[in-house]
Short mmCIF file of all heavy atoms in Angstrom, two decimals:
data_model
loop_
_atom_site.label_atom_id
_atom_site.label_comp_id
_atom_site.label_asym_id
_atom_site.label_seq_id
_atom_site.Cartn_x
_atom_site.Cartn_y
_atom_site.Cartn_z
N VAL Y 2 9.82 13.82 -4.19
CA VAL Y 2 9.12 12.83 -3.41
C VAL Y 2 9.19 11.55 -4.33
O VAL Y 2 8.79 11.45 -5.42
CB VAL Y 2 7.71 12.99 -2.95
CG1 VAL Y 2 7.16 11.78 -2.25
CG2 VAL Y 2 7.78 14.26 -2.02
N GLN Y 3 9.74 10.40 -3.82
CA GLN Y 3 9.64 9.21 -4.50
C GLN Y 3 9.24 8.09 -3.58
O GLN Y 3 9.58 7.95 -2.38
CB GLN Y 3 11.05 8.75 -5.06
CG GLN Y 3 11.42 9.59 -6.26
CD GLN Y 3 12.76 9.08 -6.91
OE1 GLN Y 3 13.69 8.73 -6.20
NE2 GLN Y 3 12.77 9.19 -8.28
N LEU Y 4 8.34 7.21 -4.12
CA LEU Y 4 7.91 5.92 -3.45
C LEU Y 4 8.42 4.69 -4.10
O LEU Y 4 8.21 4.66 -5.34
CB LEU Y 4 6.31 5.98 -3.43
CG LEU Y 4 5.56 6.88 -2.54
CD1 LEU Y 4 5.82 8.35 -2.88
CD2 LEU Y 4 4.13 6.53 -2.46
N CYS Y 22 7.07 -0.12 1.37
CA CYS Y 22 7.23 1.15 0.53
C CYS Y 22 7.98 2.19 1.16
O CYS Y 22 7.54 2.62 2.31
CB CYS Y 22 5.78 1.58 0.17
SG CYS Y 22 5.77 3.29 -0.62
N VAL Y 23 9.14 2.46 0.64
CA VAL Y 23 9.99 3.55 1.30
C VAL Y 23 9.85 4.79 0.59
O VAL Y 23 9.83 4.93 -0.66
CB VAL Y 23 11.48 3.09 1.16
CG1 VAL Y 23 12.26 4.18 1.74
CG2 VAL Y 23 11.69 1.70 1.87
N VAL Y 24 9.63 5.90 1.27
CA VAL Y 24 9.33 7.16 0.75
C VAL Y 24 10.45 8.18 1.03
O VAL Y 24 11.01 8.21 2.16
CB VAL Y 24 8.08 7.75 1.39
CG1 VAL Y 24 7.61 9.17 0.88
CG2 VAL Y 24 6.89 6.81 1.27
N SER Y 25 10.92 8.71 -0.05
CA SER Y 25 11.98 9.78 0.19
C SER Y 25 11.36 11.19 0.52
O SER Y 25 10.16 11.44 0.23
CB SER Y 25 12.78 9.91 -1.20
OG SER Y 25 11.89 10.47 -2.11
N GLY Y 26 12.08 12.03 1.08
CA GLY Y 26 11.49 13.38 1.43
C GLY Y 26 11.21 13.40 2.87
O GLY Y 26 11.26 12.42 3.62
N SER Y 27 10.62 14.51 3.32
CA SER Y 27 10.40 14.82 4.66
C SER Y 27 8.99 14.79 5.09
O SER Y 27 8.64 15.32 6.28
CB SER Y 27 11.12 16.12 5.11
OG SER Y 27 10.56 17.11 4.32
N ILE Y 28 8.03 14.60 4.18
CA ILE Y 28 6.56 14.66 4.50
C ILE Y 28 6.01 13.36 4.94
O ILE Y 28 4.68 13.42 5.00
CB ILE Y 28 5.92 15.34 3.28
CG1 ILE Y 28 6.02 14.55 1.98
CG2 ILE Y 28 6.49 16.83 3.00
CD1 ILE Y 28 5.25 15.08 0.91
N PHE Y 29 6.57 12.34 4.95
CA PHE Y 29 6.06 11.03 5.11
C PHE Y 29 5.21 11.06 6.42
O PHE Y 29 3.90 10.61 6.53
CB PHE Y 29 7.12 9.92 5.27
CG PHE Y 29 6.52 8.46 5.56
CD1 PHE Y 29 5.93 7.82 4.62
CD2 PHE Y 29 6.58 8.08 6.88
CE1 PHE Y 29 5.48 6.64 4.80
CE2 PHE Y 29 6.03 6.87 7.19
CZ PHE Y 29 5.48 6.19 6.12
N SER Y 30 5.70 11.46 7.60
CA SER Y 30 5.09 11.40 8.96
C SER Y 30 3.70 12.20 8.83
O SER Y 30 2.82 12.02 9.70
CB SER Y 30 5.80 11.84 10.04
OG SER Y 30 6.34 13.14 9.82
N ALA Y 31 3.60 13.26 8.03
CA ALA Y 31 2.39 14.06 7.87
C ALA Y 31 1.48 13.75 6.81
O ALA Y 31 0.48 14.43 6.52
CB ALA Y 31 2.89 15.44 7.58
N SER Y 32 1.69 12.51 6.22
CA SER Y 32 0.89 12.03 5.14
C SER Y 32 0.08 10.81 5.53
O SER Y 32 0.48 10.03 6.33
CB SER Y 32 1.85 11.66 3.88
OG SER Y 32 2.54 12.83 3.51
N ASP Y 33 -1.01 10.63 4.70
CA ASP Y 33 -1.83 9.42 4.83
C ASP Y 33 -1.32 8.50 3.77
O ASP Y 33 -0.99 8.88 2.62
CB ASP Y 33 -3.28 9.66 4.59
CG ASP Y 33 -3.88 10.56 5.74
OD1 ASP Y 33 -3.38 10.62 6.85
OD2 ASP Y 33 -4.94 11.24 5.40
N MET Y 34 -1.19 7.28 4.12
CA MET Y 34 -0.63 6.20 3.15
C MET Y 34 -1.60 5.20 2.78
O MET Y 34 -2.46 4.74 3.68
CB MET Y 34 0.54 5.54 3.78
CG MET Y 34 1.65 6.51 4.21
SD MET Y 34 2.36 7.43 2.83
CE MET Y 34 3.04 6.07 1.76
N ASP Y 35 -1.69 4.83 1.55
CA ASP Y 35 -2.60 3.78 1.14
C ASP Y 35 -1.82 2.69 0.34
O ASP Y 35 -0.86 3.04 -0.18
CB ASP Y 35 -3.67 4.36 0.30
CG ASP Y 35 -4.50 5.48 0.93
OD1 ASP Y 35 -4.08 6.58 0.98
OD2 ASP Y 35 -5.61 5.02 1.38
N THR Y 50 -5.64 1.73 4.11
CA THR Y 50 -5.12 3.04 4.49
C THR Y 50 -4.63 2.99 5.83
O THR Y 50 -5.22 2.38 6.86
CB THR Y 50 -6.34 3.98 4.48
OG1 THR Y 50 -6.74 4.17 2.98
CG2 THR Y 50 -5.87 5.38 4.97
N ILE Y 51 -3.58 3.73 6.04
CA ILE Y 51 -3.13 4.21 7.46
C ILE Y 51 -2.89 5.58 7.49
O ILE Y 51 -2.04 6.18 6.71
CB ILE Y 51 -1.86 3.36 7.97
CG1 ILE Y 51 -1.58 3.65 9.33
CG2 ILE Y 51 -0.68 3.53 7.01
CD1 ILE Y 51 -0.61 2.62 9.97
N THR Y 52 -3.65 6.36 8.35
CA THR Y 52 -3.49 7.78 8.42
C THR Y 52 -2.29 8.25 9.12
O THR Y 52 -1.58 7.40 9.80
CB THR Y 52 -4.78 8.42 8.96
OG1 THR Y 52 -4.78 8.12 10.32
CG2 THR Y 52 -6.04 7.98 8.40
N ARG Y 53 -2.00 9.46 9.14
CA ARG Y 53 -0.88 9.98 9.90
C ARG Y 53 -1.14 9.89 11.29
O ARG Y 53 -0.15 9.74 12.07
CB ARG Y 53 -0.63 11.39 9.53
CG ARG Y 53 -1.70 12.49 9.70
CD ARG Y 53 -1.49 13.75 9.03
NE ARG Y 53 -2.43 14.72 9.25
CZ ARG Y 53 -3.65 14.63 8.41
NH1 ARG Y 53 -3.74 13.95 7.45
NH2 ARG Y 53 -4.50 15.65 8.58
N ALA Y 54 -2.29 9.76 11.71
CA ALA Y 54 -2.73 9.39 13.06
C ALA Y 54 -2.75 7.99 13.37
O ALA Y 54 -3.19 7.47 14.42
CB ALA Y 54 -4.11 10.04 13.49
N ARG Y 55 -2.31 7.12 12.36
CA ARG Y 55 -2.22 5.60 12.52
C ARG Y 55 -3.63 5.00 12.56
O ARG Y 55 -3.76 3.78 13.08
CB ARG Y 55 -1.39 5.25 13.75
CG ARG Y 55 0.06 5.69 13.58
CD ARG Y 55 0.91 5.28 14.68
NE ARG Y 55 2.20 5.66 14.61
CZ ARG Y 55 3.19 5.14 13.92
NH1 ARG Y 55 3.07 4.05 13.36
NH2 ARG Y 55 4.39 5.75 13.88
N THR Y 56 -4.66 5.63 12.04
CA THR Y 56 -5.98 5.07 12.00
C THR Y 56 -5.90 4.15 10.76
O THR Y 56 -5.38 4.58 9.68
CB THR Y 56 -7.12 6.03 11.80
OG1 THR Y 56 -7.08 6.81 12.98
CG2 THR Y 56 -8.49 5.38 11.56
N ALA Y 70 0.82 -1.05 8.24
CA ALA Y 70 1.57 -0.48 9.33
C ALA Y 70 2.52 0.54 8.77
O ALA Y 70 2.86 0.54 7.65
CB ALA Y 70 2.32 -1.49 10.23
N ARG Y 71 2.99 1.41 9.62
CA ARG Y 71 4.01 2.36 9.23
C ARG Y 71 5.08 2.55 10.24
O ARG Y 71 4.87 2.42 11.41
CB ARG Y 71 3.25 3.75 8.89
CG ARG Y 71 2.66 4.44 10.10
CD ARG Y 71 1.85 5.61 9.71
NE ARG Y 71 2.55 6.62 8.87
CZ ARG Y 71 2.08 7.64 8.18
NH1 ARG Y 71 0.79 7.59 7.97
NH2 ARG Y 71 2.90 8.44 7.55
N ASN Y 72 6.22 2.96 9.76
CA ASN Y 72 7.38 3.33 10.70
C ASN Y 72 7.85 4.59 10.22
O ASN Y 72 8.58 4.74 9.21
CB ASN Y 72 8.46 2.26 10.54
CG ASN Y 72 9.64 2.49 11.45
OD1 ASN Y 72 9.89 3.65 11.73
ND2 ASN Y 72 10.30 1.50 11.85
N ASN Y 73 7.45 5.68 10.85
CA ASN Y 73 7.79 7.04 10.54
C ASN Y 73 9.37 7.32 10.64
O ASN Y 73 9.83 8.17 9.83
CB ASN Y 73 7.03 8.06 11.38
CG ASN Y 73 5.64 8.17 11.01
OD1 ASN Y 73 5.13 7.57 10.09
ND2 ASN Y 73 4.78 8.74 11.92
N ALA Y 74 9.90 6.67 11.62
CA ALA Y 74 11.53 6.76 11.66
C ALA Y 74 12.19 6.40 10.38
O ALA Y 74 13.27 6.85 10.13
CB ALA Y 74 11.92 6.16 12.86
N GLU Y 75 11.59 5.39 9.73
CA GLU Y 75 12.23 4.87 8.46
C GLU Y 75 11.50 5.32 7.22
O GLU Y 75 11.71 4.86 6.16
CB GLU Y 75 12.26 3.38 8.56
CG GLU Y 75 13.16 2.80 9.71
CD GLU Y 75 13.45 1.43 9.79
OE1 GLU Y 75 12.64 0.70 9.01
OE2 GLU Y 75 14.16 0.93 10.58
N ASN Y 76 10.43 6.11 7.24
CA ASN Y 76 9.75 6.62 6.22
C ASN Y 76 9.15 5.44 5.30
O ASN Y 76 9.35 5.38 4.06
CB ASN Y 76 10.64 7.46 5.18
CG ASN Y 76 10.62 8.94 5.69
OD1 ASN Y 76 10.27 9.27 6.78
ND2 ASN Y 76 11.00 9.80 4.82
N THR Y 77 8.65 4.47 6.06
CA THR Y 77 8.21 3.25 5.34
C THR Y 77 6.79 2.80 5.81
O THR Y 77 6.42 2.91 6.92
CB THR Y 77 9.27 2.04 5.69
OG1 THR Y 77 10.49 2.40 5.29
CG2 THR Y 77 8.78 0.76 4.98
N VAL Y 78 6.09 2.33 4.79
CA VAL Y 78 4.78 1.82 5.03
C VAL Y 78 4.77 0.35 4.64
O VAL Y 78 5.53 -0.01 3.64
CB VAL Y 78 3.62 2.48 4.44
CG1 VAL Y 78 3.84 2.58 2.87
CG2 VAL Y 78 2.28 2.11 4.83
N CYS Y 95 1.84 1.52 -3.81
CA CYS Y 95 1.84 2.48 -2.66
C CYS Y 95 1.43 3.85 -2.99
O CYS Y 95 1.70 4.43 -4.16
CB CYS Y 95 3.23 2.49 -2.07
SG CYS Y 95 3.52 3.46 -0.76
N ASN Y 96 0.63 4.51 -2.18
CA ASN Y 96 0.04 5.84 -2.56
C ASN Y 96 0.25 6.71 -1.26
O ASN Y 96 -0.02 6.25 -0.06
CB ASN Y 96 -1.40 5.68 -2.95
CG ASN Y 96 -2.08 7.06 -3.08
OD1 ASN Y 96 -2.57 7.67 -2.17
ND2 ASN Y 96 -2.16 7.52 -4.26
N MET Y 97 0.71 7.92 -1.54
CA MET Y 97 0.82 8.97 -0.35
C MET Y 97 -0.04 10.24 -0.63
O MET Y 97 -0.04 10.69 -1.77
CB MET Y 97 2.27 9.31 -0.16
CG MET Y 97 2.53 10.20 1.03
SD MET Y 97 4.27 10.46 1.36
CE MET Y 97 4.75 11.49 -0.01
N LYS Y 98 -0.81 10.64 0.31
CA LYS Y 98 -1.63 11.74 0.19
C LYS Y 98 -1.15 12.76 1.37
O LYS Y 98 -1.17 12.42 2.43
CB LYS Y 98 -3.08 11.53 0.27
CG LYS Y 98 -3.66 10.60 -0.76
CD LYS Y 98 -5.10 10.25 -0.37
CE LYS Y 98 -5.74 9.42 -1.53
NZ LYS Y 98 -5.21 7.99 -1.59
N HIS Y 99 -0.86 13.98 0.75
CA HIS Y 99 -0.33 15.02 1.69
C HIS Y 99 -0.91 16.36 1.39
O HIS Y 99 -1.15 16.76 0.27
CB HIS Y 99 1.15 15.12 1.50
CG HIS Y 99 1.78 16.15 2.46
ND1 HIS Y 99 2.12 17.45 1.99
CD2 HIS Y 99 2.05 16.24 3.78
CE1 HIS Y 99 2.62 18.20 2.92
NE2 HIS Y 99 2.61 17.35 4.05
N SER Y 100 -1.40 17.02 2.41
CA SER Y 100 -2.00 18.41 2.30
C SER Y 100 -1.15 19.46 2.93
O SER Y 100 -0.73 19.16 4.20
CB SER Y 100 -3.44 18.34 2.94
OG SER Y 100 -4.24 17.45 2.18
N SER Y 101 -0.96 20.48 2.29
CA SER Y 101 -0.26 21.57 2.76
C SER Y 101 -0.65 22.93 2.24
O SER Y 101 -0.78 22.99 1.03
CB SER Y 101 1.37 21.45 2.43
OG SER Y 101 2.00 22.46 2.95
N TYR Y 108 0.94 11.10 -4.51
CA TYR Y 108 2.09 10.45 -5.07
C TYR Y 108 1.89 8.94 -5.17
O TYR Y 108 1.21 8.28 -4.28
CB TYR Y 108 3.40 10.70 -4.16
CG TYR Y 108 3.54 12.22 -3.96
CD1 TYR Y 108 3.02 12.78 -2.77
CD2 TYR Y 108 4.42 12.99 -4.87
CE1 TYR Y 108 3.24 14.08 -2.60
CE2 TYR Y 108 4.60 14.26 -4.50
CZ TYR Y 108 4.04 14.98 -3.58
OH TYR Y 108 4.24 16.22 -3.22
#
Side-chain angles (χ1 to χ4, degrees):
V2 176
Q3 287 188 319
L4 284 67
C22 173
V23 179
V24 180
S25 64
S27 60
I28 61 174
F29 178 80
S30 62
S32 301
D33 296 336
M34 301 300 299
D35 298 87
T50 294
I51 184 164
T52 70
R53 57 192 182 276
R55 298 180 183 271
T56 300
R71 66 190 298 160
N72 183 330
N73 288 346
E75 296 184 354
N76 278 18
T77 303
V78 62
C95 178
N96 172 274
M97 183 170 74
K98 297 178 175 68
H99 179 258
S100 295
S101 177
Y108 305 88

